[in-house]
Amino acid sequence: MLELYQFELSQYSEKVRLILDFKGLAYRKIEVTPGVGQLELFRLTGQRQVPVLKDGNQYIADSTQIAKYLERKYPDRPIIPSDPKQRAMCWLIEEWADESIGIKSRKALFGALTKSESYRKSLLPMATPDVVKTLIGVVPNDVLKVLGFSVGYGPDVVKSAEEDLKQDLEALCLLLAENPYLVGDQPTLADLAVAGLAMLLKFPDGPYLELPATLKGKGIPGLGDNIAYQPFFEWRDRLYAQYRKPLTGVSTVGSTPTSIQID
């Protein structure tokens, strides 16, 4: 069985999960605990960042490289169009989504976290020790804002990301106004990438992620709850309903993650 080293709330991991589900591939999720788990992942794969896909003795890092690998190795239910123009557009949208929605949604989410202690505690990985959750929960919002400056996530950066994301969501709504998918009349990597990477903007309201019930269907204020962008999120949710496998109690497609073991 394929194994996916991941963070449950990583939007790039979600992109890969959506691709795996679309292709109908069984896989086991291995939750990498931030810090010590990443060291073990580095020992195994030479990579500290998730997602990393294991297929037999082979490890593939980076969500785009994983998509390419899966398309080559498991060509049934293709995600890359055969038409040259559609293929080109698919790759352009996939790269744009990685660099725009993927990165800017983190910045916008950080801005939301600086305003809500309960929100940031709820978003910690399931394997995070309770003592760490408690410490993070009591960190004052102003302290987080100062920390944001230190990592390049100051208020101006967050505001700029939010404005860019509004433009992105408006553009996606326009593209989907008269078309079922972003490229052609069938789902492609472009659709799966955009849908998966939009996870942090508004969490899917369904049994797809290990999330507290209070967070399902909730999103970043001004983005996930903005009525102007609801056509996009409704499209995303339809895509999930069709292709994303719900969580189950066994290690099959979309199963509950197993925490990585540290030797």
Side-chain angles (χ1 to χ4, degrees):
M1 181 182 288
L2 296 167
E3 293 184 340
L4 180 65
Y5 291 81
Q6 62 150 42
F7 294 154
E8 186 72 358
L9 295 182
S10 157
Q11 69 272 52
Y12 292 96
S13 295
E14 179 64 4
K15 171 185 167 184
V16 173
R17 293 189 294 255
L18 194 48
I19 293 169
L20 289 164
D21 284 354
F22 179 83
K23 283 182 167 290
L25 298 171
Y27 65 98
R28 184 166 71 99
K29 298 192 293 186
I30 301 177
E31 190 75 0
V32 179
T33 304
V36 291
Q38 289 174 278
L39 293 176
E40 176 67 1
L41 181 66
F42 182 77
R43 185 185 71 80
L44 291 170
T45 70
Q47 299 288 332
R48 288 187 175 86
Q49 301 299 316
V50 295
V52 174
L53 182 72
K54 181 184 179 185
D55 189 3
N57 295 322
Q58 189 169 0
Y59 292 90
I60 306 95
D62 183 80
S63 63
T64 298
Q65 297 306 315
I66 292 172
K68 292 178 179 178
Y69 173 82
L70 291 172
E71 187 74 345
R72 291 194 305 269
K73 185 72 178 289
Y74 306 96
D76 290 346
R77 208 166 198 177
I79 58 174
I80 307 299
S82 57
D83 176 81
K85 289 186 178 180
Q86 290 186 357
R87 185 166 64 249
M89 184 61 66
C90 176
W91 284 120
L92 284 172
I93 293 176
E94 189 267 351
E95 182 179 7
W96 162 79
D98 274 0
E99 298 301 317
S100 185
I101 297 176
I103 293 175
K104 293 171 186 174
S105 65
R106 291 175 175 173
K107 297 175 182 178
L109 180 63
F110 180 84
L113 295 181
T114 62
K115 302 171 185 176
S116 172
E117 295 178 7
S118 60
Y119 194 34
R120 58 179 176 264
K121 285 176 67 177
S122 298
L123 289 174
L124 289 171
M126 299 293 285
T128 303
D130 289 340
V131 64
V132 176
K133 290 183 179 180
T134 300
L135 289 172
I136 290 176
V138 300
V139 173
N141 294 342
D142 289 343
V143 172
L144 280 182
K145 291 178 182 178
V146 172
L147 292 175
F149 274 112
S150 68
V151 296
Y153 281 17
D156 290 342
V157 171
V158 170
K159 183 178 179 180
S160 177
E162 291 172 346
E163 292 303 314
D164 288 348
L165 286 166
K166 289 177 182 178
Q167 180 174 290
D168 292 344
L169 289 169
E170 181 181 354
L172 288 166
C173 287
L174 291 172
L175 285 173
L176 294 165
E178 298 181 359
N179 299 289
Y181 303 106
L182 293 171
V183 179
D185 57 2
Q186 296 293 327
T188 69
L189 175 59
D191 301 286
L192 303 175
V194 168
L197 292 167
M199 178 187 75
L200 297 183
L201 300 179
K202 184 179 182 180
F203 295 110
D205 186 10
Y208 306 112
L209 298 166
E210 289 290 320
L211 277 177
T214 54
L215 284 179
K216 292 183 178 180
K218 299 297 191 295
I220 297 173
L223 296 173
D225 59 356
N226 191 321
I227 193 171
Y229 312 133
Q230 290 315 295
F232 166 74
F233 291 112
E234 290 172 359
W235 168 85
R236 190 274 307 270
D237 291 344
R238 287 195 298 270
L239 200 71
Y240 267 65
Q242 286 181 283
Y243 302 112
R244 185 74 163 90
K245 297 296 189 292
L247 294 173
T248 62
V250 295
S251 294
T252 55
V253 177
S255 66
T256 301
T258 299
S259 295
I260 190 172
Q261 299 300 309
I262 307 300
D263 294 335

